[in-house]
Amino acid sequence: MAATATYPPPPPYYKLYKDYIENPKSAPEPPPPIEGTYVLFGGSYTTDDVLPSLEDQGVRQLYPKGPNIDFKNELRSLNRELQLHILELADVLIERPSQYARRVEDISLIFKNLHHLLNSLRPHQARATLIHILELQIQRRKQAVEDIKRRREEAQRLLKEALGTLDGH
Amino acid sequence: MDIISQLQEQVNTIAALAFNTFGTLQRDAPPVRLSPNYPEPPANPTEDTANVAEQPKLMSSTLVKAAKQFDALVAALPLSEGGEEAQLKRIAELQAENDAVGQELQRQLEAAEKELKQVQELFSQAADNCLNLKKPD
């Protein structure tokens, strides 16, 4: 008694490829890569991955905006603010315990800003990794060129030697 | 782990330490006397008083150590100044150099393969001559 459903049949496109062995051009080409947004299993995804800014998520941005952000100093100042807020929360809990909510919100805001800053460092890291890989590849190629030159010269030398030995007879 | 992941882990650690600190203190704090009208709260000796006094010190020092560790990690960030454009320019330079070196490598490779073919041809001729005992031309 099989209560499970059978698998769906394969899509009917396979009939179009009947003569593929004889004539590879008689069958349709594979579809081109998708660009932009697409829907997959009911969820929509995008090929253009970009980190959404804090305002898009409705979170206030504590560090200054601008083209070049000084990541190290901003991270350090956010860390100091975080410690101050934790101390503030401890004080509030002692004196006015019912007003903890605002302090807890501030602390979570600082954490969100910290994580957003760290995430926006990732593209920089990706480019640095790419630079490193390219440098390594250039170094390997130069080494290979040197090796081939050396081997060719050695081969020429051996052939000349052999010629000399044969002529010496 | 790379430095950015370490920084992210450290941020999460600081958050967890903060929760644990406040949670533990709230759970273990002995009851306090609110008003002189009511009698003193019974001081239950179930909780070790030494423990209750030690814990805030331990936990706060752990928290501060974690924050210092975060600062140390931030100082270790290899952030090369120049921003995005400098990096993109460097990538373009490296790509051009990579192409040039790649072409040089291709040339050397082709020349070496040609020489290899020549040597193989000569060697097979010499071997044939040896086999047939013909005088070399």
Side-chain angles (χ1 to χ4, degrees), chain A residues 70-121:
Chain A
D70 187 1
F71 286 102
K72 288 195 190 186
N73 284 344
E74 293 302 329
L75 280 171
R76 271 193 274 257
S77 64
L78 275 177
N79 190 20
R80 216 152 295 142
E81 287 236 5
L82 176 66
Q83 302 292 310
L84 284 174
H85 275 82
I86 291 181
L87 265 178
E88 243 187 283
L89 177 62
D91 281 331
V92 155
L93 281 176
I94 296 176
E95 286 159 27
R96 297 176 290 261
S98 53
Q99 296 186 1
Y100 68 93
R102 167 113 192 279
R103 299 285 177 270
V104 169
E105 254 182 55
D106 283 342
I107 292 185
S108 67
L109 182 67
I110 296 190
F111 272 122
K112 283 181 189 156
N113 272 276
L114 268 171
H115 272 298
H116 190 263
L117 254 187
L118 287 175
N119 281 336
S120 50
L121 271 177

Side-chain angles (χ1 to χ4, degrees), chain A residues 115 122 125 127 135 137, chain B residues 2 8 12 87 90 98:
Chain A
H115 272 298
R122 289 291 188 186
Q125 184 190 19
R127 281 189 290 265
E135 283 171 0
Q137 194 178 32
Chain B
D2 63 302
Q8 287 174 321
N12 293 344
Q87 276 186 319
R90 176 97 177 110
N98 205 9

Side-chain angles (χ1 to χ4, degrees), chain B residues 1-68:
Chain B
M1 249 204 310
D2 63 302
I3 182 94
I4 300 188
S5 305
Q6 276 179 326
L7 275 164
Q8 287 174 321
E9 278 298 313
Q10 193 64 20
V11 170
N12 293 344
T13 310
I14 295 182
L17 282 171
F19 299 154
N20 288 347
T21 309
F22 286 113
T24 316
L25 287 175
Q26 278 195 314
R27 183 194 60 185
D28 294 334
V32 83
R33 188 158 181 201
L34 283 175
S35 150
N37 296 341
Y38 292 93
E40 262 188 42
N44 290 357
T46 49
E47 182 75 42
D48 239 353
T49 26
N51 226 1
V52 169
E54 265 306 301
Q55 268 179 353
K57 286 209 198 86
L58 265 173
M59 288 192 289
S60 54
S61 73
T62 320
L63 191 59
V64 169
K65 267 199 269 252
K68 284 211 177 96

